[in-house]
Amino acid sequence: MSARPAAGTGEDPGAAAARLTGRPVTGRRPLSATLTEVTLDGGQTVMVKRGDGPGAAPAEAAGLRWLADAGTVRVPVVHGHDRHWLVTDQVPVGRPSVRAAARFGRDLAALHAVGAPAFGAPPPDGPTDAYIGPAPMRNVPGSEWPRWYAEQRVLPYLRRAVDDGTVRHGEAEIIERACERLPELAGPAEPPARLHGDLWNGNVLWGADGQAWLIDPAAHGGHRETDLAMLHLFGCPHLDRVLDGYQDVAPLAEGWADRIGLHQLFPLLVHTVLFGRGYAGQALTAARAALAR
């Protein structure tokens, strides 16, 4: 079975892999509409991903390289990319373990500590107009996290949700009030961290090598609690051990657990834009909880 050519590219994933790696392709197995497992001459298997939009593949490639440059977390090697396609190593999948979770927590803390030039800073050579999943995400630098987070990570998706009719105007006012109070709710000021940026459980692969691997980043400079809040949002195997490992390396500021909902406003509103009304209710619950503090 062969995958369809990507719209506007004239190529299928196998042809893209051959062109970007310079090696003949001997097999392919579509995994989804955008992801194909491709076998190269010599037996190596790579993952070929079609970008969700213009510039998505370059943004993801830049993010993977930026995370790899930190020398902390494990990410697949990028073998090639262009405007439409990304080719990376395949990660042989194993099972989550307590030991891998604790090490993942320590490595994630080390990644965050490497830092970023500013909140909203894109990876080197990464575009300003990037993506989080299939949703557009702009990387516009800012110096103060509360203001930057409101203006660049919460309000753009809230406005889109209101325009789409997914969030009502009266409900939007609740989230806007939470944004207004961010300076007093955000906790102690922290330097910009180097974030994965879309760290939900599906982007953590538990490798056959006994290590956690990270894929599909929306990498940028941000607040380290945001990555951890995303891990909480959809669950993560052995999350308590991940957090223990993290705290061993870089203890979190007092009250961090009370701020999880604030940091989840961003991914919840992204999901509201992408998937509808159900996530709007969760975003409103998080905003109301923050305002009640």
Side-chain angles (χ1 to χ4, degrees), residues 223-258:
H223 197 301
R224 61 189 182 132
E225 291 177 12
T226 303
D227 266 354
L228 297 175
M230 286 198 182
L231 283 177
H232 280 82
L233 186 57
F234 298 110
C236 175
H238 307 299
L239 181 56
D240 56 337
R241 300 306 297 268
V242 174
L243 294 172
D244 287 346
Y246 192 102
Q247 298 263 40
D248 285 345
V249 173
L252 293 159
E254 183 178 355
W256 71 270
D258 295 330

Side-chain angles (χ1 to χ4, degrees), residues 98-165:
V98 168
R99 182 176 180 180
R103 179 164 183 175
F104 170 40
R106 295 192 296 269
D107 291 345
L108 183 63
L111 171 70
H112 289 164
V114 171
F119 298 109
D125 301 323
T128 297
D129 292 309
Y131 286 80
I132 177 166
M137 182 187 80
R138 285 182 58 80
N139 284 322
V140 177
S143 59
E144 297 178 358
W145 182 79
R147 180 176 180 179
W148 169 83
Y149 182 67
E151 293 180 352
Q152 300 298 332
R153 289 296 181 264
V154 177
L155 295 178
Y157 301 96
L158 178 62
R159 295 184 189 111
R160 169 72 180 275
V162 170
D163 289 345
D164 292 345

Side-chain angles (χ1 to χ4, degrees), residues 2-30:
S2 61
R4 294 180 180 177
T9 69
E11 279 188 306
D12 67 17
R19 175 173 55 82
L20 291 169
T21 64
R23 296 168 62 183
V25 167
T26 60
R28 70 199 72 183
R29 183 168 72 98

